[in-house]
Amino acid sequence: MRIMENQKNDCANHTGKSTLNLAYWTFGWVLTTALVAFGPKFIWDGNTALTITGILINLAIGIGVIYANKKHLNSLDELQRKVQLEAMAIALGVAVVFGLSYSMLDTTNLISYDAEISHLVILIGLTYLAATIIGNARYK
Amino acid sequence: MKNNIKILRAQHDLTQAQLASKLAVSRQTINAIEKGKFDPSLPLAFKISKLFNKTIEEIFKNEE
């Protein structure tokens, strides 16, 4: 019994640590993304070498985010993993279906503005968030 | 899949949180299994049967 309780505590600690680890990596990635987006204009005045360095750092931290997310998913219990899997499936489906439709609206000039990738990223993020909340509520 | 985890849990005087703690899963998982909303994996089913000293067939019943 005591071994099982220790396992649970280890499991909860492991999940907590991996969530915090993912938060750090994500924060670093958002920070470097902002740096690369605004740095060339406001900080280093279009210096190509600095922009390339910024993009490489952003890419490296992005790879860290992917690895941290994978580690985080592995730290979850089986129900939490199922909720995440379903949310990811919905987010991926929405991204492909709505992303392509949105792109076609742009290429056929049915919308007056450009279909930006950032719009798709926001849609994926919101879909994933909503699907996770609904999934958690469903198994409550 | 139906199960009698809720009854076994009551017999052993355990709360959902305590059972979850012993099985190294979340309380939400225990609740979902008890309500038949979620079927546990085979390793978790074995853990449950070992904890209650019952066979898997004594705890889980197929609805078909």
Side-chain angles (χ1 to χ4, degrees):
Chain A
M1 289 287 179
R2 188 157 286 173
I3 293 168
M4 278 186 167
E5 272 172 31
N6 288 340
Q7 272 179 350
K8 165 64 184 176
N9 289 336
D10 287 349
C11 185
N13 286 342
H14 189 55
T15 305
K17 273 183 192 170
S18 75
T19 306
L20 207 61
N21 187 43
L22 178 60
Y24 288 144
W25 277 102
T26 307
F27 182 71
W29 181 76
V30 169
L31 214 64
T32 53
T33 303
L35 194 70
V36 172
F38 301 112
K41 193 176 176 185
F42 299 108
I43 304 173
W44 56 78
D45 198 26
N47 184 313
T48 312
L50 284 175
T51 305
I52 292 171
T53 307
I55 290 171
L56 288 176
I57 292 170
N58 178 246
L59 196 65
I61 294 178
I63 292 166
V65 173
I66 295 168
Y67 181 71
N69 191 35
K70 187 178 169 288
K71 230 173 127 182
H72 171 65
L73 288 173
N74 283 331
S75 75
L76 299 175
D77 82 359
E78 52 191 74
L79 177 63
Q80 291 164 337
R81 257 184 245 164
K82 184 180 162 71
V83 169
Q84 292 296 318
L85 180 71
E86 287 172 355
M88 280 189 271
I90 293 166
L92 178 66
V94 166
V96 173
V97 173
F98 285 84
L100 286 174
S101 297
Y102 190 45
S103 171
M104 281 188 282
L105 284 175
D106 183 22
T107 53
T108 53
N109 289 323
L110 285 170
I111 50 172
S112 55
Y113 52 92
D114 288 334
E116 299 286 345
I117 189 76
S118 55
H119 299 161
L120 189 61
V121 173
I122 292 167
L123 178 70
I124 295 169
L126 291 176
T127 309
Y128 187 57
L129 182 68
T132 304
I133 291 169
I134 293 167
N136 273 314
R138 193 147 50 103
Y139 291 111
K140 234 175 187 175
Chain B
M1 203 187 300
K2 282 183 179 172
N3 64 77
N4 52 9
I5 292 175
K6 195 173 180 177
I7 297 163
L8 290 167
R9 185 168 60 76
Q11 285 170 354
H12 286 77
D13 200 22
L14 290 169
T15 64
Q16 284 188 342
Q18 285 168 331
L19 179 60
S21 177
K22 289 179 190 302
L23 296 168
V25 294
S26 62
R27 191 203 58 78
Q28 184 190 13
T29 301
I30 297 300
N31 187 49
I33 294 170
E34 280 186 3
K35 287 185 174 174
K37 288 181 181 176
F38 175 68
D39 293 332
S41 65
L42 198 53
L44 183 55
F46 271 114
K47 262 185 169 182
I48 295 167
S49 70
K50 193 179 173 188
L51 184 77
F52 290 127
N53 205 21
K54 302 260 181 200
T55 63
I56 287 178
E57 292 85 353
E58 284 174 305
I59 301 173
F60 297 97
K61 299 268 183 286
N62 202 337
E63 281 177 312
E64 286 177 87

